[in-house]
Amino acid sequence: IYAFTADFSFSIGNPTMTFATIMKTMTGAVLEEVLIRGLLFSVMLAAWGDTKKGIIKAVILSSTIFGVVHLFNLIIRPPAVVILQALIVMLPGIFYATWLLKSKSIYPAILVHWLSNAVINIKILTIPDYQESISMWLIFGVVLLPLVAYCDYLLKQMPEPALVENESDAD
């Protein structure tokens, strides 16, 4: 919240707009997660195998595509802000893909994606004449770097599935 509004407080203004925002962000999170992580990421894993190299390629490419999808915001937002947004949202994309791998379920990624979008957008509703800025996205990116470092650690800790299978075949 602080990255987007420079304020930690949270209140709900207009209940109708808040409900509409909750529904909009839920729809967006479900759609993005099902298409990017549920479909595209799964296809990449099937194509590249579930080796560490295949998994990391799928995480990075699916997260990059997740960022590129946000270029559609060029329709309604300033180009410099949208380009930075497209680059920065790759970071939570890495988190969502890693969480999907660790939990073996898409639901936690959908929930966190939806809640983060909903909280930020509901907060923004209470700020008259709110405008996105480049600095806002830079702060958000810096805040996410430790999360991405943790995801990198988790991915490196994953066992090599092909090696595990080969060891059991040798017995």
Side-chain angles (χ1 to χ4, degrees):
I1 292 175
Y2 187 81
F4 290 88
T5 64
D7 181 15
F8 281 115
S9 67
F10 186 81
S11 64
I12 295 177
N14 180 331
T16 303
M17 287 300 292
T18 298
F19 179 74
T21 300
I22 288 170
M23 298 311 293
K24 176 192 161 286
T25 55
M26 183 187 310
T27 302
V30 169
L31 183 63
E32 288 176 351
E33 291 306 317
V34 167
L35 291 176
I36 302 293
R37 248 70 61 193
L39 180 64
L40 189 62
F41 184 66
S42 297
V43 167
M44 290 176 189
L45 286 177
W48 293 328
D50 58 356
T51 63
K52 276 189 186 181
K53 185 177 179 180
I55 289 169
I56 290 170
K57 280 174 42 177
V59 167
I60 292 170
L61 185 57
S62 67
S63 299
T64 301
I65 292 169
F66 179 62
V68 169
V69 166
H70 286 80
L71 290 174
F72 284 110
N73 289 329
L74 285 168
I75 297 167
I76 57 171
R77 296 184 177 141
V81 170
V82 173
I83 290 168
L84 189 56
Q85 176 195 24
L87 292 170
I88 299 288
V89 299
M90 290 170 30
L91 300 176
I94 291 168
F95 172 69
Y96 301 144
T98 303
W99 204 351
L100 182 142
L101 287 169
K102 294 303 273 183
S103 69
K104 299 185 182 348
S105 173
I106 196 169
Y107 297 113
I110 290 172
L111 181 65
V112 171
H113 187 162
W114 167 57
L115 287 175
S116 62
N117 286 355
V119 167
I120 291 165
N121 283 286
I122 290 168
K123 169 70 175 173
I124 290 170
L125 287 175
T126 64
I127 301 171
D129 302 320
Y130 176 79
Q131 293 293 318
E132 283 183 297
S133 68
I134 289 175
S135 63
M136 167 197 85
W137 282 103
L138 287 172
I139 292 167
F140 188 61
V142 168
V143 168
L144 288 175
L145 289 177
L147 183 63
V148 171
Y150 181 63
C151 291
D152 179 57
Y153 168 78
L154 290 176
L155 290 171
K156 287 178 180 172
Q157 298 305 312
M158 292 182 74
E160 186 75 50
L163 294 177
V164 173
E165 289 173 17
N166 289 342
E167 288 173 8
S168 64
D169 291 342
D171 293 335

